């Protein structure tokens, strides 16, 4: 999944770097023209010229009723869900997505969930723990086990040998039976139990939550945020459409594409991390138990250590990821493809883990893919109201913890928009205003 964004850790997944520190007990700081589904032409109006726009409701008045979410990934979907299920003021938003819901990282991620792997960073720990609990609540409310593969899992650390070795006389008791006994160069270690680690199928989860929200979905590319003369958000402009989509609250949840909008890039940077993965269907999928594996592997002496990850899914498929590099995404998520060398290495690793995952021995290749994770310069997500634009909110930069932290991010934004303050988690550490404060201190 790539290095920890905004840190010195490279060629590792953030999750892998976390588990290594846990073991050591150390802290760690497709798309064409826009199409509306369903149609809501009445929400469009001619774009303003010099004339001032009508302002949103003043502070203390009724909460916004016209909420537009830009981005159909996990964060946008969860925000839509918690807006529509808000106890005191349920609000069904409009969601605009360029490609299709969950077409980028939210559909190609691993879907691994951990209760306490972010505990060394207090702010992130609060977000992750709240979100882990929300995942359980959502699974109960939405039938997550059947709808999107929610289940608790065992999680192990396994060190792959650099070269073939004889199988031990008896497999280690922690090693699941579908993993080849010779695949572990050292005794595996337990990183998580079904009480502390779980998983979802990220694409199915995102689409299920979005469907449950009842949000209107618009396929189109958001070109810019429209701001009224008094500094309040007034809507967004969608490419290929005349007019403005009216809104008195706008949420920007565009992952690594968030920085393409001037309202964001003027305040902070969002970069991309290209992460590769493959999905395989083993010969005997019914034998694959719910054990997630965090691997250590050195392809040859002197080579960099790799930290691949293996996630069996209740569908019988097995997801493997681990090759990543810094790279900004292309304009269109539908054009993203994996790089042959990275895909080949993941197949090699899969075969070392289990003969069931070898193409040569009957494993079916379901997907060979890549996606881009959104990263910030300080490694923390950005969640909150954009400074200087009342009613414009942002949520991005979750790196490889987007699926885990999507629910709490969405719930906190819904509270911030409708109640004026997030209660489920303190958003101050994630505020986009932190970047302006740092600039101010540097300029002092």
């Amino acid at each position: 999944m790539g290095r920890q964004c905004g840190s010195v850790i490279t060629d590792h997944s953030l999750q892998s770097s976390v588990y290594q520190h846990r073991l050591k007990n150390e802290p760690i700081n497709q798309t064409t023209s826009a199409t509306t589904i369903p149609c809501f032409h009445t929400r469009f109006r001619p774009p303003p010229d010099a004339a001032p726009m009508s302002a949103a409701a003043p502070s203390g008045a009724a909460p916004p009723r016209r909420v537009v979410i830009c981005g159909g990934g996990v964060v946008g979907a969860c925000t839509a869900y918690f807006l529509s299920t808000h106890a005191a003021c349920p609000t069904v938003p409009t969601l605009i997505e360029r490609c299709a819901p969950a077409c980028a990282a939210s559909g190609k991620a691993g879907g691994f969930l951990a209760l306490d792997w972010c505990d060394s960073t207090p702010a992130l720990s609060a977000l992750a723990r709240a979100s882990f609990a929300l995942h359980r609540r959502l699974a109960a409310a939405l039938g997550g086990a059947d709808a999107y593969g929610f289940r608790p899992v065992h999680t192990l650390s396994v060190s792959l040998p650099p070269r073939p070795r004889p199988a031990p006389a008896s497999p280690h008791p922690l090693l699941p039976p579908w993993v080849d006994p010779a695949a572990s160069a050292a005794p595996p270690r337990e990183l998580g139990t079904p009480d502390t680690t779980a998983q979802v199928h990220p694409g199915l989860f995102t689409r299920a939550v979005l469907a449950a929200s009842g949000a209107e979905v618009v396929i189109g590319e958001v070109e810019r945020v429209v701001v009224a003369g008094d500094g309040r958000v007034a809507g967004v402009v969608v490419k290929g459409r005349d007019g403005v989509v009216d809104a008195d609250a706008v949420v920007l949840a565009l992952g690594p594409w968030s920085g393409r909008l001037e309202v964001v890039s003027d305040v902070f940077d969002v970069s991309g991390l290209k992460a590769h993965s493959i999905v395989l269907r083993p010969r005997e999928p019914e034998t694959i138990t719910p054990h997630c594996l965090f691997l250590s592997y050195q392809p040859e002496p002197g080579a960099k250590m790799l930290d691949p990850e293996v996630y069996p899914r209740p569908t019988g498929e097995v997801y493997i990821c681990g090759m990543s590099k810094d790279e900004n995404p292309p304009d269109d998520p539908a054009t993203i493809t994996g790089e042959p060398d990275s895909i080949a290495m993941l197949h090699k690793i899969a075969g070392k883990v289990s003969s069931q995952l070898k193409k040569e021995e009957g494993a079916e290749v379901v997907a060979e893919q890549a996606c881009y994770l959104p990263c910030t310069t300080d490694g923390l997500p950005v969640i909150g109201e954009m400074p200087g634009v009342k009613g414009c909110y942002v949520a991005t930069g979750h790196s490889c913890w987007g699926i885990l932290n999507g629910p709490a991010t969405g719930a906190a934004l819904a509270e911030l928009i409708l109640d004026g303050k997030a209660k489920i988690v303190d958003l101050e550490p994630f505020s986009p205003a932190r970047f302006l404060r740092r600039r101010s201190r540097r300029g002092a």
Side-chain angles (χ1 to χ4, degrees):
M1 303 280 267
R3 58 116 170 108
Q4 180 177 352
C5 304
S7 79
V8 297
I9 302 174
T10 57
D11 294 317
H12 295 266
S13 74
L14 175 55
Q15 291 151 344
S16 294
S17 68
V18 170
Y19 91 69
Q20 289 170 348
H21 286 274
R22 283 168 57 81
L23 291 177
K24 297 175 184 176
N25 234 355
E26 298 173 355
I28 59 168
N29 279 334
Q30 314 167 74
T31 187
T32 55
S33 60
T35 304
T36 306
I37 312 172
C39 181
F40 60 105
H41 292 288
T42 56
R43 296 194 178 189
F44 286 82
R45 59 177 169 77
D49 293 315
M53 302 177 188
S54 57
S59 178
R65 303 301 299 178
R66 299 172 301 175
V67 181
V68 170
I69 299 171
C70 306
V74 66
V75 172
C78 287
T79 303
Y81 177 84
F82 286 105
L83 283 169
S84 68
T85 58
H86 187 276
C89 188
T91 300
V92 178
T94 295
L95 184 142
I96 304 175
E97 163 58 45
R98 171 169 181 162
C99 189
C103 69
S106 293
K108 299 175 182 177
F112 178 76
L113 313 175
L115 170 68
D116 55 359
W117 286 28
C118 299
D119 276 1
S120 59
T121 305
L124 206 53
S125 172
L127 184 69
R129 284 178 170 268
S131 213
F132 191 85
L134 280 178
H135 268 290
R136 291 190 181 277
R137 285 172 47 190
L138 286 169
L142 302 179
D146 294 326
Y148 51 81
F150 175 86
R151 65 177 179 180
V153 295
H154 298 272
T155 306
L156 302 175
S157 166
V158 176
S159 178
L160 295 180
R163 57 186 62 86
R165 60 193 289 269
S170 59
H172 191 280
L174 280 181
L175 208 63
W178 55 272
V179 176
D180 293 345
S184 185
R189 303 192 200 183
E190 186 176 70
L191 301 177
T193 70
D195 290 330
T196 62
T197 52
Q199 71 176 153
V200 296
H201 185 298
L204 296 178
F205 171 71
T206 299
R207 289 187 284 271
V209 171
L210 181 57
S213 76
E216 296 176 289
V217 176
V218 176
I219 302 301
E221 181 182 358
V222 174
E223 289 192 311
R224 63 185 176 91
V225 175
V226 179
V227 183
D230 62 355
R232 293 179 180 271
V233 76
V236 298
V237 173
V238 178
K239 186 176 182 178
R241 285 194 174 272
D242 294 328
V244 172
V245 184
D246 279 329
D248 45 23
V250 170
V251 177
L252 305 177
L254 295 161
W257 289 273
S258 300
R260 304 287 177 95
L261 296 176
E262 187 177 0
V263 69
V264 172
S265 62
D266 281 350
V267 178
F268 65 93
D269 295 325
V270 186
S271 61
L273 185 74
K274 188 175 185 179
H276 292 78
S277 59
I278 60 175
V279 182
L280 304 174
R281 180 173 291 278
R283 297 190 315 268
E284 301 172 337
E286 69 280 359
T287 66
I288 308 298
T289 56
H291 288 78
C292 291
L293 308 180
F294 284 73
L295 309 175
S296 296
Y297 174 58
Q298 188 177 35
E300 56 187 42
K304 277 186 179 179
M305 290 295 297
L306 303 177
D307 297 304
E309 302 161 13
V310 180
Y311 305 141
R313 290 173 169 167
T315 56
E317 298 170 346
V318 179
Y319 174 99
I320 302 105
C321 65
M323 308 297 294
S324 62
K325 69 172 185 177
D326 293 306
E327 181 180 287
N328 284 323
D331 289 339
D332 188 351
T335 66
I336 298 170
T337 58
E339 297 173 17
D341 288 350
S342 295
I343 297 298
M345 177 58 74
L346 291 176
H347 278 294
K348 179 180 178 180
I349 291 165
K352 286 184 172 291
V353 170
S354 174
S355 59
Q356 290 236 31
L357 303 180
K358 290 183 177 180
K359 291 191 295 182
E360 303 82 2
E361 298 192 24
E364 175 191 350
V365 179
V366 177
E368 296 174 333
Q369 59 195 11
C371 63
Y372 287 81
L373 308 179
C375 304
T376 62
T377 53
D378 62 6
L380 287 178
V382 185
I383 311 167
E385 190 171 37
M386 290 299 299
V389 186
K390 189 68 178 173
C392 183
Y393 305 85
V394 67
T396 187
H398 291 74
S399 184
C400 61
W401 292 116
I403 304 301
L404 167 64
N405 289 328
T409 298
L413 277 177
E415 291 173 339
L416 183 61
I417 293 167
L418 298 179
D419 300 331
K421 182 177 178 60
K423 305 177 187 69
I424 190 170
V425 67
D426 179 13
L427 290 182
E428 179 59 28
F430 308 114
S431 170
R434 71 187 190 262
F435 298 99
L436 296 182
R437 291 193 291 267
R438 290 168 190 167
R439 287 184 200 171
S440 176
R441 287 196 296 268
R442 286 197 300 267

